[in-house]
Amino acid sequence: MEVIRNARVMQQTVKEYLQRGSSIGFVPTMGALHGGHMSLVQRCREENDVSVVSIFVNPIQFGPSEDFSSYPRNTEDDAAKLQEAGVDILFMPGVEDMYPEGFATFVEVERLSDRLCGRFRPGHFRGVATVVTKLLNIVRPSRAYFGQKDYQQALIIKQVVRDLNIETETVVCPTVREADGLAMSSRNLYLSPRERKAAAVIYRTLCRARDMVLGAECSLSDVKNLMEEALSAEPLVDEVEYASAFDPETLEDICSRDVTIYRKGRVLLAAAVRIGRARLIDNELVDMTAQEEAA
Ligand code: AMP
């Protein structure tokens, strides 16, 4: 595995692969790699001639009171995992390389960035959209791989790719979970053993909400109430930032809408909670069209 720490070298290397007609697959990450990341890496390897993984903890997507400086960094372990998985190139640019003095251009996706996590993390998605645009311009992949766990992020990146005519296919991969259902996340490392156990409430609640949506008579506001109550009932949950049903394309909260409209469509159930030092998110996409077809 080749390790590249400089954007210009990465661009030159990519150019050589592209001239040879190789397809490039790309997995952008912030490191502290776990099974979720590695599922993206595996899919990337299967579908492309050359696989590139980046590790870059992007300062501009963290708010001033967020965990940028304490974000877990395990570069040696990460490199060993990627090498073992057969990745061709590990790209680890420095902050000064990505944001040299005088850097002044940002990518802002309207509307989608203000909803769900955007309400609680102002500027977060501007930072994400900017860094991913830069990375896609540097790596120029045929396909880039993202996790459904960060549903809003994947949706925003798809919008960027469409709006800015970037020639990359964005592939969204299923959420990988621990045995008790907790979505794998680098931030799970912040949890104490008791908190880690309590965190299973998130996915348990999403599953109950999903069953409720799929079941007979209920309104989406009942679903929202169930989610908020079930999450708040866990004593180690310090705050429920949001827990509701959303339109999976616009990310609007749809709980006050007529439920019959959504009986025929798709509903995104999503939640963000704080447990101790960790802010954890998860979601479940409920597809009523699949159910109708099966019936
Ligand atoms: P991060 O390092 O947290 O920025 O994540 C890098 C990529 O891995 C993003 O596209 C995430 O959505 C994806 N990812 C993170 N956790 C999971 C998971 N549990 N399952 C699948 N993909 C994930």
Side-chain angles (χ1 to χ4, degrees):
M1 182 175 72
E2 191 176 352
V3 180
I4 298 179
R5 295 173 188 275
N6 174 277
R8 202 189 286 272
V9 175
M10 186 71 230
Q11 281 173 301
Q12 192 52 44
T13 307
V14 158
K15 210 177 273 173
E16 286 158 24
Y17 280 116
L18 291 178
Q19 274 161 3
R20 275 183 248 156
S22 305
S23 63
I24 297 176
F26 178 44
V27 182
T29 82
M30 298 207 298
L33 301 179
H34 51 66
H37 296 117
M38 298 315 286
S39 72
L40 271 51
V41 169
Q42 193 183 337
R43 175 104 182 253
C44 175
R45 286 250 303 134
E46 283 164 11
E47 296 180 352
N48 301 279
D49 299 324
V50 179
S51 49
V52 180
V53 176
S54 67
I55 297 181
F56 180 63
V57 185
N58 176 34
I60 68 164
Q61 72 186 64
F62 289 80
S65 57
E66 292 184 354
D67 55 344
F68 172 68
S69 53
S70 59
Y71 195 84
R73 290 164 171 90
N74 306 321
T75 316
E76 267 179 36
D77 287 1
D78 288 347
K81 282 183 191 161
L82 296 173
Q83 166 102 43
E84 163 95 20
V87 166
D88 298 293
I89 300 175
L90 167 56
F91 178 43
M92 291 199 294
V95 172
E96 58 302 328
D97 193 22
M98 291 295 274
Y99 303 113
E101 218 178 293
F103 182 88
T105 306
F106 295 87
V107 178
E108 188 125 21
V109 177
E110 292 179 359
R111 294 183 293 281
L112 290 179
S113 299
D114 301 330
R115 304 193 167 131
L116 285 89
C117 292
R119 283 176 49 217
F120 300 89
R121 304 188 71 188
H124 169 67
F125 289 113
R126 177 186 194 246
V128 169
T130 302
V131 79
V132 173
T133 303
K134 282 175 66 72
L135 290 168
L136 294 178
N137 280 333
I138 295 166
V139 177
R140 293 166 63 193
S142 320
R143 298 177 197 86
Y145 297 81
F146 300 91
Q148 147 124 21
K149 199 207 69 147
D150 300 277
Y151 183 95
Q152 184 174 16
Q153 169 173 286
L155 199 63
I156 286 173
I157 289 161
K158 281 187 172 209
Q159 180 88 44
V160 170
V161 164
R162 207 165 42 237
D163 289 352
L164 300 184
N165 305 82
I166 297 175
E167 287 186 293
T168 294
E169 182 194 339
T170 45
V171 182
V172 181
C173 304
T175 303
V176 177
R177 301 180 178 283
E178 303 285 358
D180 64 358
L182 177 66
M184 290 189 183
S185 163
S186 307
R187 289 190 169 98
N188 292 349
L189 293 169
Y190 296 154
L191 300 169
S192 70
R194 278 182 66 231
E195 290 167 344
R196 164 66 193 80
K197 219 168 152 197
V201 72
I202 305 169
Y203 187 58
R204 216 167 42 237
T205 300
L206 286 169
C207 290
R208 282 178 64 193
R210 175 198 59 206
D211 293 346
M212 201 167 163
V213 172
L214 289 173
E217 301 306 307
C218 76
S219 72
L220 289 178
S221 60
D222 292 339
V223 174
K224 180 177 188 157
N225 289 340
L226 167 107
M227 290 174 76
E228 286 178 345
E229 279 167 22
L231 291 168
S232 309
E234 166 51 57
L236 294 184
V237 167
D238 296 311
E239 187 187 349
V240 180
E241 286 190 350
Y242 63 81
S244 192
F246 301 90
D247 180 310
E249 274 151 44
T250 64
L251 300 183
E252 285 163 298
D253 192 317
I254 52 178
C255 284
S256 55
R257 303 267 181 90
D258 179 359
V259 74
T260 53
I261 304 170
Y262 289 92
R263 283 264 165 250
K264 293 190 169 57
R266 297 184 313 148
V267 170
L268 176 72
L269 301 167
V273 304
R274 289 186 176 278
I275 299 181
R277 273 183 63 214
R279 178 181 184 279
L280 303 175
I281 59 171
D282 200 355
N283 66 79
E284 177 79 2
L285 189 60
V286 188
D287 192 344
M288 249 81 80
T289 53
Q291 202 198 29
E292 277 210 345
E293 278 158 19

